[in-house]
Amino acid sequence: MLDTPRSEGYTIRLSFLVGFLINQSVPPQKPKFSGRRTAGIVSAAVLFTLLGVLIASNLDLSAPSVAQVPTNVSQTGLFPVVDKGGHMQSPFVDVVNQVADAVVNVSATTRDNQAHWWLRGGHYAMSRGSGFFFREDGYVLTNNHVVANAMEITVRTSSGYEYRAQLVGNDPESDLAVLRVEPEEKVTVIPFGDSDEIQVGDWAIAIGNPFPEQGLDRTVTVGVVSAKGRSQLRFTGDTPYYQNYIQTDAAINPGNSGGPLLNLRGECIGVNAAITSPTGSSVGIGFAIPINLARAIVPDLIATGKPSRGWLGVQMSDVNERQAKRLGLNAVRGVVIDSVFVGSPADQAGIQPGDVVVKFNNQEVVNGSQFSVLVSTLRQGNTIPVEVVRDGKHVNLKTTIGDRDSGLAQSLENPGGGAHPETEVLLGMELSRYTPEIARDIGAEHVDGLYVWRVYPGTAADRAGVTAGSIIMKIGKNAVSSVEEFLSAVRQEEDRSRIPLIVQEPDGAIARKILRQ
């Protein structure tokens, strides 16, 4: 990239040098102080200086560029170009040439459970999406929702070869799946990048399979990283529990699911997964699963078919504005520990109910969704630092991560192991009476109702948008403050497929939710 001001400086200085040298080549004359002679000398000097400008302007004496490869809009400009042998070219061309052949079409045949009962025996549906090779021995990464409940999976490569694919492992909670084929060709692979390094404003390139029935495979769209750490999103169908999405305005159309989101180095920084749109097509709000989340679970999917996740042993809720002000936090960020399982890693580390976790493993904690991802991607046995705010003071602790499956199994065998053994699971929610003690622990005012400790993904409560930390105050017209009153109110509803709730949300707002069974 030329440094224009410096180049112009070189040209101007050189013009004066050339003019001076030419002037010096003129034989010296004895000074005569006539006006005509003086004007002639000045005219000659100006003429030779202009000649020097013309000569120097055709010379390339600009300083060599030391600029690094640009990564975002502020460095490249709105319409970035690079010089390729004297031809100006988009920097996205090299990336596409490097990795496009690694992107594959994925189609899955599933049984259509939405069909009428008399057709279900032989009625099938087709799910289509994208994926990409990340290992030369035929391993493909894609979304779980592309291949969920598949009876048969087919992968079609850029060269037109079709392969029957094996589902190696899948994880509905993160919406990732690993397939494997035995390619008869040499395949291109896409390396994993580092999604923690990306910044809002970095260029993002999406490659996918938007409309396969029209032959529009491996379509390229370009945009920027619009935001990081998106969570608490609701999608049509099953919504993944672990959410820490990259948001991008690179168009993610139907069928792009499972394709790569790339940086300008040709590295995968995310797996395209979903869009938010009132029309069903891209309006510039797309979401990709960070590749670092995939890094954490892909080895387990290959080795055992399912992920191994870290476990802390707490129940939590997001910090609300009232709590943030009371604790003197700089922003409404962090998670409140509602309860701690006895004997869990959190209990052994000294984490207490009422603590607000503001940093975990040296990363700022934003909300419960992000915190769950941070914990889940760690391995059993990892010892990591935790910073909590307790009674207005910052306390630094260390905890050793446990295994989630083992920890949950132990907690189910010992239901009194948690701080609130009286909880009940109803309609996808873990509930208990909202007591003055709970209100004190979370820094909120007490009202009559049921406290929501947890909402299970994919349930009626989850689909209705009920969140952990909410307080259920009424079912229909009936006030509820105990599990018994909750069950009685549900029975009194004429249409039990549609149960109306009045809840106080974690931020104090009163909302109406409909649980559709």
Side-chain angles (χ1 to χ4, degrees):
M1 181 180 296
L2 284 179
D3 186 343
T4 303
R6 292 185 61 187
S7 300
E8 291 175 352
Y10 281 135
T11 302
I12 292 169
R13 288 193 292 271
L14 183 61
S15 67
F16 281 112
L17 177 60
V18 174
F20 172 77
L21 292 176
I22 295 175
N23 283 331
Q24 292 301 307
S25 67
V26 178
Q29 304 288 330
K30 290 183 180 181
K32 294 181 180 180
F33 297 99
S34 68
R36 182 176 300 175
R37 174 60 64 184
T38 302
I41 293 173
V42 172
S43 299
V46 172
L47 176 62
F48 292 138
T49 299
L50 291 175
L51 181 60
V53 171
L54 292 174
I55 296 172
S57 64
N58 291 317
L59 299 177
D60 183 10
L61 296 179
S62 59
S65 171
V66 293
Q68 296 179 348
V69 176
T71 58
N72 58 45
V73 173
S74 65
Q75 294 172 312
T76 63
L78 187 58
F79 303 103
V81 292
V82 293
D83 189 345
K84 287 290 183 180
H87 298 283
M88 304 313 291
Q89 176 180 288
S90 160
F92 312 123
V93 173
D94 280 346
V95 176
V96 174
N97 289 339
Q98 177 184 336
V99 302
D101 286 347
V103 181
V104 300
N105 300 332
V106 178
S107 59
T109 303
T110 60
R111 193 179 300 280
D112 187 3
N113 293 324
Q114 302 301 318
H116 294 293
W117 63 268
W118 61 84
L119 294 176
R120 289 181 186 175
H123 197 69
Y124 303 102
M126 182 68 72
S127 170
R128 289 188 173 92
S130 305
F132 63 94
F133 286 110
F134 65 95
R135 280 180 34 170
E136 293 180 349
D137 51 352
Y139 282 92
V140 172
L141 185 60
T142 187
N143 287 141
N144 175 71
H145 73 259
V146 173
V147 296
N149 304 314
M151 303 173 61
E152 182 178 303
I153 303 170
T154 301
V155 165
R156 182 162 64 91
T157 67
S158 61
S159 58
Y161 283 86
E162 288 192 357
Y163 302 100
R164 179 73 60 84
Q166 170 197 357
L167 178 61
V168 176
N170 65 313
D171 177 33
E173 291 185 303
S174 66
D175 194 25
L176 290 170
V178 173
L179 313 177
R180 190 180 184 188
V181 300
E182 296 183 1
E184 301 175 7
E185 56 191 306
K186 181 176 177 58
V187 300
T188 302
V189 300
I190 298 178
F192 289 173
D194 186 349
S195 52
D196 289 340
E197 288 185 349
I198 64 173
Q199 300 181 51
V200 175
D202 278 348
W203 286 108
I205 307 167
I207 306 179
N209 174 34
F211 304 109
E213 67 279 2
Q214 300 177 25
L216 302 179
D217 56 60
R218 274 163 292 280
T219 296
V220 178
T221 54
V222 174
V224 298
V225 173
S226 305
K228 296 170 58 178
R230 293 300 197 203
S231 61
Q232 300 177 351
L233 304 175
R234 307 287 169 184
F235 301 132
T236 302
D238 293 337
T239 295
Y241 178 73
Y242 293 103
Q243 298 187 16
N244 191 31
Y245 289 104
I246 300 168
Q247 181 182 328
T248 179
D249 66 350
I252 299 176
N253 293 297
N256 280 74
S257 293
L261 188 70
L262 306 155
N263 60 22
L264 289 186
R265 292 189 291 270
E267 299 166 336
C268 180
I269 55 173
V271 181
N272 300 323
I275 63 171
T276 291
S277 169
T279 64
S281 58
S282 175
V283 294
I285 305 177
F287 301 99
I289 302 164
I291 201 62
N292 284 6
L293 177 55
R295 280 181 182 273
I297 70 171
V298 161
D300 291 329
L301 295 182
I302 293 174
T304 66
K306 63 179 184 177
S308 173
R309 290 196 163 94
W311 187 65
L312 195 58
V314 298
Q315 292 178 322
M316 61 192 173
S317 57
D318 291 345
V319 168
N320 59 39
E321 184 178 355
R322 187 186 307 113
Q323 294 164 332
K325 289 179 178 178
R326 180 175 63 84
L327 294 169
L329 302 179
N330 294 327
V332 185
R333 294 192 181 97
V335 294
V336 180
I337 301 300
D338 296 322
S339 64
V340 178
F341 287 96
V342 175
S344 68
D347 185 35
Q348 295 174 14
I351 296 174
Q352 301 175 8
D355 284 350
V356 175
V357 182
V358 292
K359 279 191 176 180
F360 185 81
N361 200 17
N362 298 318
Q363 295 189 53
E364 182 181 13
V365 174
V366 179
N367 54 40
S369 295
Q370 178 237 15
F371 183 63
S372 295
V373 172
L374 292 178
V375 175
S376 72
T377 53
L378 293 170
R379 294 286 179 178
Q380 180 181 10
N382 290 157
T383 300
I384 53 93
V386 184
E387 183 180 333
V388 304
V389 176
R390 180 182 299 165
D391 298 326
K393 298 179 180 179
H394 288 255
V395 179
N396 293 306
L397 305 169
K398 285 193 174 181
T399 184
T400 300
I401 299 299
D403 178 71
R404 189 188 71 162
D405 290 345
S406 301
L408 289 178
Q410 183 178 358
S411 67
L412 289 174
E413 292 175 1
N414 178 24
H420 300 278
E422 70 277 11
T423 57
E424 296 281 347
V425 177
L426 299 169
L427 300 178
M429 300 173 287
E430 191 171 332
L431 305 171
S432 73
R433 179 190 293 271
Y434 184 49
T435 64
E437 291 76 21
I438 297 174
R440 184 194 63 232
D441 288 343
I442 66 175
E445 295 180 2
H446 177 260
V447 296
D448 289 334
L450 290 171
Y451 189 76
V452 181
W453 293 100
R454 183 178 180 185
V455 176
Y456 291 88
T459 61
D462 182 42
R463 293 192 298 271
V466 179
T467 59
S470 298
I471 301 160
I472 298 176
M473 305 170 68
K474 286 185 176 182
I475 294 182
K477 298 180 180 180
N478 297 309
V480 295
S481 58
S482 68
V483 171
E484 291 75 18
E485 291 177 353
F486 182 96
L487 292 172
S488 175
V490 169
R491 294 190 193 102
Q492 293 179 40
E493 289 296 314
E494 294 182 3
D495 183 4
R496 295 186 189 176
S497 65
R498 186 178 179 277
I499 300 174
L501 306 181
I502 301 297
V503 304
Q504 178 178 298
E505 299 193 307
D507 61 0
I510 304 299
R512 187 171 186 265
K513 310 284 185 179
I514 303 294
L515 300 189
R516 291 180 171 84
Q517 301 278 39

